[in-house]
Amino acid sequence: MTEENALMKTNRINLLFDFYEKLLTEKQQLFCKLYFHDDYSLGEIAAEFKISRQAVYEHIKRSESVLEDYELKLKLLAKHEERQQLTQKFEPLLTGLSGEEREQAQTLLHRLSNLD
């Protein structure tokens, strides 16, 4: 896996984690935070919890799988990304509106983009 692909995967897992964190077990949450958020290595996590690197790896892989399964079913990340794209496309259209209309539209657009 290239460095760019690894970074994209880490970013995706972090986003999925933001949406579905509370649906993971406490251990899955902890290992994901340490590995993906705090950039701990498998060895560092293993030493901290006195388990094998392989056990840490399996916990993290299982967590990734669970997060992807939730996304397949609930599509929260996909909806978030689509909302962000639509918001960006909508913003240039505001320039054609009058002052009061533009202000109202900006307020609605702001509320829409902050639904997450």
Side-chain angles (χ1 to χ4, degrees):
M1 181 181 296
T2 68
E3 188 173 324
E4 185 177 329
N5 287 343
L7 181 58
M8 287 175 53
K9 179 183 175 188
T10 297
N11 287 340
R12 177 172 173 78
I13 295 299
N14 279 325
L15 287 169
L16 292 174
F17 186 78
D18 288 344
F19 284 104
Y20 304 113
E21 172 184 3
K22 297 300 182 192
L23 301 175
L24 297 174
T25 67
E26 286 184 28
K27 189 174 275 190
Q28 288 172 330
Q29 289 177 37
L30 180 59
F31 284 9
C32 280
K33 280 181 186 175
L34 291 173
Y35 189 73
F36 291 108
H37 285 224
D38 300 336
D39 204 28
Y40 277 52
S41 70
L42 297 176
E44 290 170 325
I45 298 169
E48 179 77 22
F49 293 93
K50 297 177 177 45
I51 59 176
S52 70
R53 289 178 77 249
Q54 183 65 31
V56 173
Y57 176 81
E58 288 172 9
H59 279 291
I60 290 171
K61 285 298 164 194
R62 175 71 181 129
S63 299
E64 289 177 30
S65 177
V66 168
L67 290 170
E68 291 290 353
D69 285 346
Y70 283 129
E71 177 60 13
L72 275 173
K73 293 173 184 159
L74 300 173
K75 307 223 183 290
L76 296 179
L77 178 56
K79 290 174 185 175
H80 167 77
E81 289 173 340
E82 182 178 10
R83 191 169 24 260
Q84 295 301 104
Q85 290 171 356
L86 291 172
T87 298
Q88 288 176 350
K89 289 179 181 179
F90 188 79
E91 285 176 348
L93 301 174
L94 297 177
T95 58
L97 298 176
S98 70
E100 187 176 323
E101 290 173 328
R102 182 176 29 248
E103 192 174 308
Q104 289 174 347
Q106 285 174 327
T107 299
L108 292 173
L109 186 60
H110 180 72
R111 288 179 56 196
L112 178 65
S113 66
N114 288 319
L115 282 177
D116 299 322

